[in-house]
Amino acid sequence: MSSTGELRHTALDALHRSLGATMTDFAGWDMPLRYGSERDEHTAVRTKAGLFDLSHMGEITVTGPQASALLDFALVGNIGGVKPGRARYTMVCRADGGILDDLIVYRLGETEYMVVANASNAQVVLDALTERAAGFDAEVRDDRDAYALIAVQGPESPGILKSLTDADLDGLKYYAGLPGTVAGVPALIARTGYTGEDGFELFVKPEHAVELWQALTKAGEGAGLVPCGLSCRDTLRLEAGMPLYGHELSTSLTPFDAGLGRVVKFEKEGDFVGREALREAAARAEQNPPRVLVGLVAGGRRVPRAGYAVVAGGEVIGEVTSGAPSPTLGKPIAMAYVDPAHAAPGTTGVGVDIRGSHEPYEVVALPFYKRQK
């Protein structure tokens, strides 16, 4: 929300409305939920290409001689070990180990990083980094208004983007970013993605966003590119088994509770916020495994939602964190935290309590969907 309590608008707001988008309040931003059929948008990303406005994400720049040291102290990952031009998935935790947000950190240069936070947590992350910067020769800058973010995702996305840039896309690895020009617009071209497909994120100045969106739309005309809203982004990430803050991740969970202990790098030099609590969480998880994040595939047609109980033998054994119909599988799916005894793929006798009725579900390994390389 803006300081006046009004919804914030991205630089592409008028364009979304001209395309007939259904808009929704998402983390204080007025964002496109869908343009037409969310199933068609989802399928386009899986088979051809989709175009997303992600300008609500929170960009925070960290610069200075001790930028690496600050981020190594503030975050759980080994950020100093990231080479310029590369990116890393990591988390920022509280002193008690609870997850404040999951992040992508891009190393733009020797002493410059861009931290990308979830829209709903951008202020929390900014406040945490600013507070933790005390004593470091580094500057934390709120750059949320300095960028628009457009993503093109799907198997046709490399071909579409190649027609608009001479940047070395073939040499751009997964979790990397390089400066370039796309359709004449200066951009940071990244390859991270949140759909399970290949694709690119383009960080540009807001005043260039409409021009770039239109150029991508034109370049993608023959390749089946369609504009996509947040609704299909959610079903795409769910099929790809990717966590969403507020669903699979929260302050009440440590990275070890979420099955993402691998992002915590105890071996890095120096102290970091949450180190002791996380060491205890790691030991606890080894001795007494927490609930495990699993996939659930419906036997019937009823769709589970976040917060629904997972049951077996009349007992509650877990809770759904995300659920939706899967266009790719053609049946409802869910992610859920369940007791370890019921977490093995193929476990039978598991159900979801949907308004008092125990609907049968099969436990499967995540992700539900993995693209063919």
Side-chain angles (χ1 to χ4, degrees):
M1 289 275 182
S2 68
S3 55
T4 58
E6 291 173 4
L7 289 179
R8 298 182 68 181
H9 298 94
T10 78
L12 293 161
D13 184 71
L15 194 147
H16 297 317
R17 292 170 196 280
S18 75
L19 293 171
T22 299
M23 306 296 285
T24 188
D25 172 1
F26 185 83
W29 290 82
D30 206 12
M31 296 297 292
L33 186 65
R34 71 181 76 82
Y35 298 85
S37 154
E38 49 206 49
R39 177 179 288 270
D40 290 349
E41 291 171 25
H42 180 112
T43 304
V45 175
R46 285 277 177 258
T47 59
K48 296 186 172 102
L51 193 58
F52 295 86
D53 178 8
L54 305 178
S55 302
H56 60 314
M57 300 295 281
E59 296 88 4
I60 301 160
T61 304
V62 181
T63 56
Q66 291 190 298
S68 296
L70 162 59
L71 290 171
D72 275 339
F73 169 70
L75 311 179
V76 300
N78 179 3
I79 308 304
V82 178
K83 292 183 169 60
R86 298 307 302 266
R88 183 150 298 168
Y89 176 78
T90 187
M91 293 181 183
V92 56
C93 289
R94 301 192 307 195
D96 67 1
I99 303 165
L100 285 171
D101 201 15
D102 61 336
L103 314 163
I104 295 178
V105 180
Y106 297 90
R107 188 167 194 169
L108 304 180
E110 204 53 49
T111 60
E112 184 179 7
Y113 295 83
M114 181 167 67
V115 177
V116 181
N118 285 296
S120 55
N121 293 329
Q123 190 63 48
V124 169
V125 175
L126 178 67
D127 291 346
L129 290 177
T130 303
E131 186 185 314
R132 295 172 190 187
F136 289 93
D137 187 2
E139 183 198 348
V140 176
R141 189 172 72 233
D142 180 1
D143 269 349
R144 284 177 286 180
D145 293 335
Y147 292 102
L149 176 55
I150 295 173
V152 54
Q153 294 276 308
E156 297 291 340
S157 57
I160 293 167
L161 202 54
K162 274 179 191 172
S163 71
L164 296 173
T165 184
D166 54 8
D168 178 17
L169 296 186
D170 291 335
L172 185 65
K173 296 186 173 72
Y174 188 50
Y175 267 74
L178 85 171
T181 304
V182 181
V185 170
L188 172 69
I189 305 167
R191 197 174 204 164
T192 52
Y194 191 58
T195 62
E197 298 300 334
D198 192 9
F200 303 87
E201 296 75 46
L202 307 170
F203 294 86
V204 299
K205 287 183 175 173
E207 58 264 34
H208 294 149
V210 171
E211 175 190 349
L212 180 57
W213 180 283
Q214 289 172 336
L216 286 162
T217 299
K218 192 164 174 35
E221 271 172 5
L225 177 80
V226 301
C228 292
L230 293 181
S231 185
C232 83
R233 187 170 156 82
D234 191 48
T235 53
L236 289 160
R237 72 91 197 166
L238 177 55
E239 287 184 352
M242 294 176 169
L244 175 64
Y245 195 89
H247 289 256
E248 288 72 42
L249 308 173
S250 71
T251 50
S252 62
L253 296 171
T254 71
F256 295 95
D257 297 321
L260 291 165
R262 64 180 180 277
V263 305
V264 181
K265 303 300 180 188
F266 292 118
E267 68 276 15
K268 66 178 173 176
E269 283 181 29
D271 195 17
F272 62 90
V273 177
R275 182 192 273 273
E276 276 319 302
L278 289 168
R279 204 177 274 295
E280 289 169 18
R284 211 165 45 240
E286 214 159 280
Q287 297 295 318
N288 181 23
R291 282 181 166 176
V292 181
L293 188 64
V294 300
L296 298 174
V297 177
R301 309 301 308 165
R302 296 185 73 185
V303 179
R305 299 296 181 194
Y308 286 10
V310 182
V311 294
E315 299 289 318
V316 174
I317 55 134
E319 186 177 299
V320 171
T321 53
S322 298
S326 164
T328 305
L329 275 65
K331 50 182 78 168
I333 59 172
M335 285 202 277
Y337 282 111
V338 302
D339 293 344
H342 296 88
T347 299
T348 55
V350 170
V352 175
D353 186 338
I354 301 181
R355 296 191 185 89
S357 169
H358 291 186
E359 301 290 325
Y361 273 76
E362 182 193 352
V363 178
V364 300
L366 292 169
F368 300 96
Y369 166 85
K370 207 169 196 169
R371 74 182 165 98
Q372 304 301 307
K373 299 288 187 201

